[in-house]
Amino acid sequence: MYRHDNRIVITLDAGGTNFVFGAMRGCEFITESITYPSNAHDLDLCLGTMVKGFREIIDRLDEKPVAISFAFPGPADYPNGIIGGYLPNFPSFRDGVALGPFLQEKFGIPVFINNDGDLFAFGEATVGALCDINDRIRQLGGKHQYRNLLGYTFGTGLGIGSVINGMLNLGNNSCVETFCLRNKRVPEIIIEEGASIRAIKREYARLTGVESTDLTPYDIFLIAEGEKPGDPEAARRSFELFGEIAGDAFATAVTLTDSLVVIGGGLTGAMKYIKPALLREMRSTLLTVTGESVNRVQPRVFDLDDELEFAKFVVGEPKEIPVYGTDRTVIYDTMKRTGIIMSRLGASRAISAGAYVYALTSLDSAVAEA
């Protein structure tokens, strides 16, 4: 519904190296972006850069924006706009910064700050992958519509966001996380050590016995493809291990939330090597003490990027059952199902779209409650 909204929201892509400022209307950028060094080491410089960037974007607009909305790394009290704690990329914020209130004082409009994983999931749920899934289901004659979505980003870390019944799940403490789950392969360390850029690089070095700080995950992907010198089998195995460990996290989260999953981030270019192991893990089984096999994920797991699997996902396994004591029958779909799909927007655009929609839904909710 917000794809055709005429209100303008100012956005920010907040990286430890650069700030990229923009403005959105109807979930689309309407200005050229402005980029400045973030100066994350110095609080005065950093905040001054934010004010300068936002002001320059606002000066380019033909009408006043209704809000500022963006993602910023945590730990944080996002509902109150307070950032503080161990932020490796923003050391000057460690003692706590009331960022939202500061910007609201400067610009006189509401300011909304969230985690990037949350906004990625919300963007994909409101204008991205989830909309695409539900549209395609209707086009194929299906009836069921989905409202729960987990968003995972594969990159520097393993990010997550959760949308439940169409609403962003912020939790009680702005702390819906996945990076600190147990690593399936090495339970005493966190899962992110096995599902991140550094994990790909470390595993390739371990499997080959050759430590190289120059190799990037893209280099390792090219090795897997046979387009760069190296050990193709070790490269493919590095991505496979990533998929297995990430799949274990997916299985836990899907079991607890009964959600579909969308995946984005820089490492998704290697999904041809990651996805088979990820799906294999989600489709694996566990045992009871009596030896009975139990599916790791109770719903059947589909690859929603595969047209044939998507068609089966839509159809399910309906059967006709009688209504006791009458001559009526009803249709009962016996197949519980979930699935994974790749981002339709790309992580950066999904985060910005999520920030845009989050701001407008928050403003609209406040008006409705007034």
Side-chain angles (χ1 to χ4, degrees), residues 65-82:
V66 298
I68 293 171
S69 185
F70 59 96
F72 204 87
D77 174 2
Y78 288 115
N80 291 307
I82 299 171

Side-chain angles (χ1 to χ4, degrees), residues 144-336:
H144 193 76
Q145 296 286 279
Y146 293 84
R147 291 176 55 79
N148 289 4
L149 184 73
L150 293 168
Y152 278 93
T153 52
F154 289 171
T156 304
L158 184 63
I160 188 175
S162 174
V163 175
I164 303 296
N165 291 326
M167 303 292 292
L168 183 59
N169 175 22
L170 296 175
N172 290 325
N173 301 284
S174 305
C175 197
V176 177
E177 297 287 1
T178 196
F179 77 93
C180 51
L181 295 179
R182 286 182 181 272
N183 184 309
K184 180 197 172 187
R185 288 259 166 176
V186 191
E188 61 270 23
I189 68 170
I190 62 173
I191 193 170
E192 195 169 86
E193 296 296 348
S196 57
I197 285 174
R198 63 185 180 274
I200 298 291
K201 296 167 67 173
R202 186 181 61 250
E203 284 304 316
Y204 182 75
R206 182 183 68 82
L207 291 167
T208 60
V210 178
E211 185 70 44
S212 176
T213 57
D214 295 332
L215 283 179
T216 67
Y218 183 62
D219 293 324
I220 297 170
F221 173 75
L222 293 178
I223 292 169
E225 295 280 278
E227 297 178 11
K228 187 179 178 73
D231 185 334
E233 182 56 36
R236 290 191 287 268
R237 180 60 177 157
S238 299
F239 289 114
E240 182 182 351
L241 288 169
F242 178 108
E244 178 186 336
I245 291 168
D248 183 61
F250 282 27
T252 297
V254 168
T255 297
L256 294 174
T257 63
D258 192 12
S259 301
L260 302 179
V261 178
V262 61
I263 306 169
L267 290 174
T268 54
M271 282 302 287
K272 65 186 291 185
Y273 299 117
I274 295 172
K275 186 187 284 186
L278 191 155
L279 286 169
R280 195 161 53 244
E281 184 64 27
M282 293 184 73
R283 292 166 175 167
S284 65
T285 58
L286 299 172
L287 296 174
T288 68
V289 292
T290 59
E292 180 183 359
S293 180
V294 177
N295 288 335
R296 177 76 170 83
V297 176
Q298 289 298 292
R300 184 170 168 184
V301 181
F302 288 87
D303 178 356
L304 299 180
D305 294 308
D306 182 286
E307 289 299 323
L308 183 58
E309 288 205 28
F310 191 92
K312 293 178 180 178
F313 172 81
V314 172
V315 172
E317 292 178 349
K319 71 175 184 178
E320 194 173 40
I321 61 172
V323 177
Y324 182 77
T326 75
D327 57 0
R328 291 178 53 224
T329 61
V330 294
I331 300 301
Y332 170 44
D333 190 340
T334 61
M335 182 193 291
K336 309 298 182 187

